Amino acid sequence: MKVVAPTRVLLRTLLTLAAAVVAVAVPASVAAVGPAGAGTEAAGITRTVTAPVVNVPSNAPVVNVLPDGVPRVPAPGGVPRVAAATSVSAIAEALRKGPVYVDPAASAQLPPADAAALARRIKDAGKPLFIAVLPANYPTRNLFTELRTATGITGAYAVRLGDRFDARADSSVLPRTAVSNLVTSVQGESARTQLTDFTNRALANMGGSAPSTWGGPGHGGTVSNTALITAGAVLVAGGVGAYALVRRGRSRREAEQRAALEKLRVVVDEDITAFGEELDRLDFHPAEAGADDAMRADYERALDAYEQAKQYMADARRPEDVRAVTQALEDGRFSLAQLAARREGRPLPERRPPCFFDPRHGPSVTDATWTPPGGSSRQVPVCAADQARLADGRDPHVREVDTDWGRRPYWDAGPAYGPWAGGYFGGGLLPGLLVGTLLGSMMATPSYAAGYGTGYGDFGAYDGYQGGDLSGADFDPGDFSGGFGDGGGGDFGGGGGDFGGGF
């Protein structure tokens, strides 16, 4: 039977795919597994077998160079061993399989049990965070740029190098200011404490999802080339590969938005309950003596705002929907302030934003100078009680929310609180209030647009690579620039951008 043209095209496509899969499968099948064994690799940790650097005489056998780029010298018995420091390619290959890599020469810094716990923590969070623990004398020139390029995955990369620590990230995952703040917050700690603290804080604030390469066939063991070729053939024959990737990305973003909404729901429900309690305590009745139409209108608007807030929250399906809830609550509290002024015979208050430290305090009465820890001074709207506290040199009563590392001020608790704050303060005022804070830094980046909206509470689309995407070498080198120890800034010995330069 004569083969028709479409079938020949399909056969050529399958053969090309098979060759490509085999080329990828061979390096993976010969990767060395260190003393930690299969248990640690299954947990997301890879350790490369290394040996001390040796002087090789001129008549020594030729050094083997495996496809991962790691040179190996045949040891007694013909078993190859690493002849020099682990290559960046080998580290990148390990990180594609799991979130934590510990070089054997640095294993004393992070024992297997601690490394396994760290890897599980990252995997359970489902975020593209990569941790590498390297010896103190590891070359640092262009380290982050080369590691990001070799790994090829959009994410955040942290390196413990001897007693030094630094990190870089794609700006779609973490903005540079946030990376710098996170790195600074863990300086001077022991390896275990430092890596644990950085991981917990980064996971709570970064965007994206774990890369697909951490799971599925090939994770924790070697898969036969036949199985890989068969899987590739099925995808090509079915014509569903590209569609599956698009659908997976959409499902991932939807899952992230649902998780963010649930985090916000707790805080917003507290706000709604607090406003309802204010209404219950109000000693006003529309029919009481002295009540006029203006007072009754204020009271009715406050009641309507309460009901609207409850309904908006019940209808919320995405984090940006929360903005309408907090805006309704802010409107309701201003109506109560107007009602109180009318009943007491005072001038009506001007429309001001709520108290910056806790919107539940009600409308602000003035602006006061406030300096966040490690930040610059700025004017923020405050209620009368917090104005008095600041004037006396005391701390204001700050709205704190639950995070993975305890209660934190809302502006230091991650990007999910952007829509919540946006409803209270609006997009025009909020950037100046939050400048230099973790939330403010993240809200001004593409990562916020991707997961939480293009503005302060307004969600939009972002078509670039998201955290966990296989972007290859397509990334902004400015995100990885700077010298090791600069905490996310400067040049890494050459190059610029997100991952440029060295340690």
Side-chain angles (χ1 to χ4, degrees):
M1 180 178 178
K2 185 176 180 180
V3 179
V4 294
T7 304
R8 288 198 300 270
V9 172
L10 177 59
L11 289 174
R12 284 198 301 269
T13 302
L14 290 176
L15 290 174
T16 302
L17 175 64
V21 171
V22 170
V24 173
V26 170
S29 66
V30 297
V33 177
T40 54
E41 187 166 353
I45 312 163
T46 306
R47 297 171 183 267
T48 305
V49 177
T50 61
V53 178
V54 296
N55 294 321
V56 183
S58 59
N59 59 351
V62 176
V63 175
N64 295 323
V65 180
L66 294 184
D68 62 2
V70 181
R72 288 175 170 82
V73 178
V79 180
R81 65 185 181 186
V82 175
T86 308
S87 71
V88 170
S89 296
I91 298 171
E93 181 180 341
L95 293 176
R96 285 195 294 270
K97 296 178 181 179
V100 178
Y101 169 81
V102 179
D103 191 283
S107 59
Q109 292 199 52
L110 194 68
D114 293 335
L118 196 65
R120 283 193 300 270
R121 174 76 180 88
I122 297 172
K123 281 194 164 187
D124 289 345
K127 297 293 184 180
L129 176 60
F130 303 89
I131 304 290
V133 182
L134 305 176
N137 61 350
Y138 197 91
T140 62
R141 181 177 175 82
N142 297 323
L143 176 57
F144 279 112
T145 302
E146 294 177 2
L147 183 59
R148 171 63 175 84
T149 302
T151 306
I153 300 175
T154 306
Y157 293 73
V159 176
R160 170 87 180 191
L161 199 152
D163 60 358
R164 293 186 290 165
F165 177 79
D166 211 345
R168 298 292 185 274
D170 290 274
S171 57
S172 63
V173 173
L174 268 177
R176 298 178 201 177
T177 303
V179 175
S180 178
N181 291 340
L182 289 170
V183 170
T184 300
S185 72
V186 299
Q187 291 298 339
E189 298 179 341
S190 65
R192 179 179 180 276
T193 301
Q194 184 178 70
L195 295 175
T196 300
D197 287 349
F198 179 83
T199 295
N200 290 339
R201 295 168 190 174
L203 291 176
N205 293 285
M206 63 189 296
S209 299
S212 60
T213 57
W214 286 356
H219 181 63
T222 300
V223 179
S224 68
N225 295 340
T226 301
L228 290 173
I229 294 171
T230 302
V234 170
L235 287 176
V236 174
V240 299
Y243 172 75
L245 288 174
V246 172
R247 184 174 182 180
R248 183 178 63 188
R250 184 182 300 115
S251 299
R252 182 184 66 193
R253 285 189 288 273
E254 291 174 352
E256 290 175 353
Q257 287 198 339
R258 286 194 299 270
L261 179 61
E262 292 309 307
K263 181 184 294 185
L264 284 170
R265 191 180 302 278
V266 175
V267 177
V268 175
D269 285 346
E270 292 176 354
D271 288 2
I272 295 174
T273 300
F275 184 57
E277 292 172 347
E278 288 183 50
L279 292 172
D280 289 340
R281 292 191 300 267
L282 188 64
D283 60 343
F284 174 77
H285 192 280
E288 69 181 27
D292 57 23
D293 289 343
M295 294 180 189
R296 283 187 282 270
D298 291 333
Y299 182 65
E300 184 175 353
R301 282 194 294 270
L303 292 177
D304 288 345
Y306 176 64
E307 295 300 328
Q308 288 173 351
K310 291 193 295 183
Q311 188 60 51
Y312 290 156
M313 195 62 217
D315 295 339
R317 295 295 178 267
R318 298 176 300 175
E320 67 264 35
D321 297 336
V322 168
R323 179 171 184 171
V325 182
T326 53
Q327 187 170 6
L329 293 174
E330 197 271 330
D331 289 339
R333 285 198 171 91
F334 180 69
S335 295
L336 289 185
Q338 286 185 307
L339 174 59
R342 295 184 201 278
R343 297 181 71 191
E344 297 169 10
R346 294 182 286 106
L348 293 179
E350 64 172 313
R351 186 65 184 261
R352 289 183 55 86
C355 179
F356 171 75
F357 298 112
D358 189 342
R360 295 176 299 181
H361 295 172
S364 60
V365 297
T366 188
D367 293 334
T369 301
W370 173 69
T371 306
S376 58
S377 299
R378 79 285 313 273
Q379 293 287 303
V380 297
V382 296
C383 63
D386 280 332
Q387 178 191 22
R389 294 186 187 97
L390 291 173
D392 293 339
R394 294 178 292 155
D395 292 331
H397 285 176
V398 174
R399 178 66 183 277
E400 293 185 339
V401 296
D402 288 323
T403 70
D404 289 343
W405 60 91
R407 302 280 291 181
R408 302 288 297 172
Y410 72 85
W411 58 78
D412 196 25
Y417 295 94
W420 174 86
Y424 279 127
F425 300 102
L429 177 65
L430 199 56
L433 298 178
L434 295 176
V435 63
T437 67
L438 185 59
L439 178 56
S441 298
M442 301 192 74
M443 291 173 73
T445 64
S447 62
Y448 183 82
Y452 301 95
T454 55
Y456 291 86
D458 298 321
F459 277 61
Y462 176 68
D463 297 327
Y465 289 111
Q466 306 299 300
D469 287 349
L470 301 177
S471 67
D474 185 6
F475 63 91
D476 180 2
D479 289 340
F480 289 77
S481 64
F484 196 93
D486 288 348
D491 295 327
F492 269 78
D498 295 341
F499 287 77
F503 239 74

